[in-house]
């Protein structure tokens, strides 16, 4: 059988599906409206239906078999009703050409009366129907017809409430997603900030919007740079050069983090880190020397590998000095944590007057670590204002404090000696 469709069928179907009502669970509000319709009209059958593209689905039913939940659209009375906005009544279905060939009329259960009202939304879409049926021909009184119209409006009100609840639920989901996205963005921002600044400094910046400059009476500053880097820049491709530097600096980042140092910055092939800032501790000269030895070993391994591959090699030069510094954050758009003071200049002097593949430390560093490390005196160098600084090459851990022949990995004796030196407790 053929059936007519509303002119706005595509939009009508979209409106039905937006309600997510097809195949939904029974709802007492709809059941009671259907029962009232049957009682008011003195009809044995009533139902509330919604029209899909190929079927009529019953949301509520009164007087129909429990297992009858839907029927094909082409044999549904309501396929006609949803094509308009007014009540459709057939006092005797057998004599109505619109319905007299429908199987429910020609066969069981032999319906003979039908009255249906479309459930028209404010947007003008007939989503379904409220219907009453009888097995005998009949007419509805004016009062019954008006009551049926009022019940239809109640069904539409229920649908409008359902639509608003769906929109509200969607809004809640969007708000939850927005909160999740905001939390993710905030976590990503904090992660980036913590990658740029020490955690305590980042926390202070987030809390106060600024960082108070801080004087630290004792810290240890380390500078490194590479011998042969300037010459390499004239020969190497930019991508290869940056990739090589990234290899070294990534390794340095891991090393300084492992030993509790704070990376400050890189400038060209120079790398700068500090221990004892922003968190003060008494191990800063020792931790810096251990980090320097590991960096020296890392560069040596990479040099040996590159020599085997006949690639250009770099050798690291390290300078270390201990003394007072001032630390703080500069900039408002691009924050930078940095340190200042004569200690920084002296550490740079140690690096500049060192030697490729060696670690050059000042007399202040040597005084703190000479018990644990082997040092080679180098004499003094005069800096600005005619100040002389003693210099020493840091060779290795003393054999009694090392687990490896190269003297770079501390053993248990080292831990005990550090504890004795820093606390006076030798246990």
């Amino acid at each position: 059988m053929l059936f007519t469709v509303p002119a706005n069928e595509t939009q009508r179907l979209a409106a039905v599906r937006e309600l997510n009502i097809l195949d939904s669970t029974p709802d007492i509000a709809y059941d009671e409206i259907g029962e009232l319709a049957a009682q008011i009209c003195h009809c044995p059958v009533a139902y509330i239906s919604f029209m899909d593209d190929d079927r009529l689905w019953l949301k509520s039913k009164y007087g129909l078999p429990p297992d009858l939940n839907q029927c094909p659209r082409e044999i549904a009375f309501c396929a006609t009703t949803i094509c308009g906005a007014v009540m459709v009544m057939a006092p005797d279905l057998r004599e109505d050409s619109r319905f007299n060939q429908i199987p429910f009329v020609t066969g069981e259960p032999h319906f003979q009366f039908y009255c249906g009202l479309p459930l028209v939304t404010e947007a003008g879409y007939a989503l379904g129907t409220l219907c009453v049926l009888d097995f005998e021909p009949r007419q509805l009184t004016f009062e019954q017809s008006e009551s049926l119209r009022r019940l239809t409006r109640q069904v539409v009100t229920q649908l409008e409430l359902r639509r608003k609840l769906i929109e509200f639920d969607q809004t809640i989901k969007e708000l939850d997603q927005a909160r999740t996205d905001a939390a993710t963005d905030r976590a990503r921002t904090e992660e980036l900030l913590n990658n740029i600044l020490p955690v305590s400094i980042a926390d202070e910046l987030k809390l106060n919007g600024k960082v108070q400059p801080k004087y630290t009476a004792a810290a240890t500053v380390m500078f490194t740079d590479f011998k042969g880097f300037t010459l390499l820049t004239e020969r190497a491709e930019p991508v290869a050069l940056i990739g090589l530097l990234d290899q070294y600096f990534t390794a340095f980042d891991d090393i300084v983090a492992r030993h509790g140092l704070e990376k400050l910055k890189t400038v060209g092939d120079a790398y700068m880190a500090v221990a004892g800032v922003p968190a003060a501790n008494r191990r800063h000269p020792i931790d810096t020397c251990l980090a320097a030895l590991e960096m020296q070993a890392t560069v040596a391994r990479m040099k040996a590998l590159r020599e085997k591959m006949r690639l250009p090699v770099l050798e690291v030069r390290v300078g270390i000095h201990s003394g007072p510094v001032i630390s703080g954050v500069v900039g408002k758009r691009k924050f930078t944590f940095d340190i200042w003071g004569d200690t920084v200049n002296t550490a740079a002097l140690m690096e500049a007057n060192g030697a490729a593949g060696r670690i050059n430390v000042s007399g202040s560093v040597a005084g703190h670590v000479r018990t644990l490390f082997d040092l080679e005196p180098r004499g003094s160098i005069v800096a600005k204002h005619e100040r002389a600084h003693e210099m020493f090459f840091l060779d290795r851990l003393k054999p009694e404090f090392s687990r490896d022949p190269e003297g770079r990995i501390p053993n248990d004796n080292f831990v005990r000696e550090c504890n004795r030196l820093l606390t006076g407790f030798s246990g």
Side-chain angles (χ1 to χ4, degrees):
M1 296 181 65
L2 299 177
F3 57 87
T4 57
V5 297
N8 59 1
E9 177 67 0
T10 301
Q11 296 87 348
R12 188 197 70 81
L13 282 173
V16 171
R17 288 163 185 169
E18 284 174 0
L19 287 173
N20 197 28
I21 199 167
L22 294 171
D23 301 309
S24 59
T25 57
D27 190 316
I28 190 170
Y30 294 91
D31 291 341
E32 289 181 343
I33 291 174
E35 187 174 351
L36 276 173
Q39 292 174 352
I40 290 170
C41 297
H42 303 299
C43 288
V45 176
Y47 62 77
I48 296 172
S49 70
F50 293 93
M51 193 68 71
D52 202 355
D53 57 348
D54 61 350
R55 61 171 177 154
L56 174 86
W57 179 78
L58 303 179
K59 175 62 177 174
S60 77
K61 58 196 174 190
Y62 177 84
L64 292 174
D67 59 344
L68 179 60
N69 297 312
Q70 61 184 24
C71 74
R73 182 168 175 173
E74 59 263 28
I75 62 170
F77 298 111
C78 301
T80 298
T81 306
I82 65 164
C83 290
V86 298
M87 178 183 290
V88 173
M89 189 181 303
D92 190 338
L93 290 168
R94 295 169 301 179
E95 296 179 0
D96 195 315
S97 60
R98 297 172 297 177
F99 306 115
N100 58 12
Q101 297 302 310
I102 290 177
F104 295 127
V105 177
T106 60
E108 293 292 338
H110 296 289
F111 287 122
Q112 295 188 37
F113 169 76
Y114 168 83
C115 179
L117 278 145
L119 304 173
V120 182
T121 66
E122 293 180 356
Y125 303 125
L127 307 184
T129 59
L130 169 61
C131 304
V132 291
L133 297 102
D134 201 343
F135 304 109
E136 301 292 337
R138 61 175 300 129
Q139 286 280 358
L140 294 183
T141 66
F142 173 79
E143 290 77 11
Q144 288 173 326
S145 298
E146 287 302 303
S147 296
L148 205 57
R149 287 189 177 92
R150 293 189 184 99
L151 290 176
T152 300
R153 288 196 289 271
Q154 292 301 312
V155 177
V156 173
T157 299
Q158 290 291 325
L159 295 176
E160 182 63 18
L161 178 60
R162 183 184 184 91
R163 183 185 64 79
K164 288 181 177 179
L165 287 173
I166 290 173
E167 290 178 353
F168 179 74
D169 183 63
Q170 181 61 34
T171 300
I172 293 297
K173 289 179 180 177
E174 289 173 358
L175 287 173
D176 287 342
Q177 185 61 49
R179 281 194 291 267
T180 300
D181 292 343
T184 301
D185 290 342
R186 185 165 55 252
R188 187 180 298 113
T189 299
E190 291 187 0
E191 181 182 0
L192 290 172
L193 191 59
N194 289 337
N195 284 339
I196 297 170
L197 303 174
V199 174
S200 61
I201 299 299
D203 290 342
E204 183 180 350
L205 184 63
K206 287 183 288 185
L207 182 63
N208 302 322
K210 61 180 181 179
V211 176
Q212 193 70 26
K214 181 181 178 182
Y215 173 80
T216 302
T220 300
V221 181
M222 174 174 63
F223 278 94
T224 77
D225 79 344
F226 292 103
K227 176 188 176 182
F229 181 79
T230 302
L231 182 61
L232 187 60
T233 60
E234 299 173 359
R235 300 177 178 177
E237 292 290 329
V239 173
L241 186 65
I242 296 302
L244 181 61
L245 267 185
D246 183 63
Q247 278 186 286
Y248 284 111
F249 287 165
T250 298
F252 288 1
D253 286 348
D254 292 338
I255 292 167
V256 300
R258 190 160 50 249
H259 289 282
L261 280 70
E262 192 69 47
K263 173 188 175 181
L264 294 176
K265 57 188 171 184
T266 61
V267 181
D269 64 323
Y271 186 99
M272 180 182 178
V274 62
V277 174
N281 68 75
R282 297 180 61 193
R283 279 184 56 111
H284 55 87
I286 298 170
D287 290 335
T288 305
C289 288
L290 288 173
L293 286 172
E294 190 173 346
M295 293 163 81
Q296 181 188 52
T298 298
V299 174
R301 284 194 299 270
M302 295 175 71
K303 175 187 175 185
L305 180 62
R306 291 181 66 82
E307 284 177 337
K308 287 182 180 179
M309 300 172 66
R310 297 184 179 180
L311 294 172
V313 298
L314 295 176
E315 289 187 286
V316 70
R317 187 169 56 193
V318 182
I320 304 174
H321 178 61
S322 294
V325 298
I326 296 172
S327 61
V329 171
V330 294
K332 290 185 177 181
R333 295 182 182 273
K334 295 184 178 181
F335 299 110
T336 302
F337 177 72
D338 210 344
I339 58 174
W340 299 269
D342 190 58
T343 298
V344 177
N345 299 330
T346 304
L349 184 70
M350 292 298 108
E351 178 270 314
N353 289 276
R358 305 298 300 271
I359 301 167
N360 193 38
V361 304
S362 67
S364 64
V365 175
H368 284 100
V369 305
R370 67 173 69 252
T371 305
L372 301 167
F373 296 86
D374 283 339
L375 301 163
E376 292 182 38
R378 298 190 61 212
S380 62
I381 184 172
V382 177
K384 290 181 180 179
H385 312 299
E386 298 184 353
R387 292 180 56 190
H389 294 277
E390 292 293 322
M391 297 190 301
F392 299 80
F393 278 141
L394 176 75
D395 290 335
R396 52 163 292 157
L397 283 163
K398 289 181 179 294
E400 61 268 30
F401 299 127
S402 174
R403 285 192 302 171
D404 63 311
E406 291 78 17
R408 296 189 176 99
I409 304 174
N411 60 16
D412 293 340
N413 291 331
F414 175 87
V415 176
R416 284 191 289 269
E417 181 64 13
C418 279
N419 192 47
R420 186 189 68 79
L421 292 172
L422 298 176
T423 69
F425 177 68
S426 59

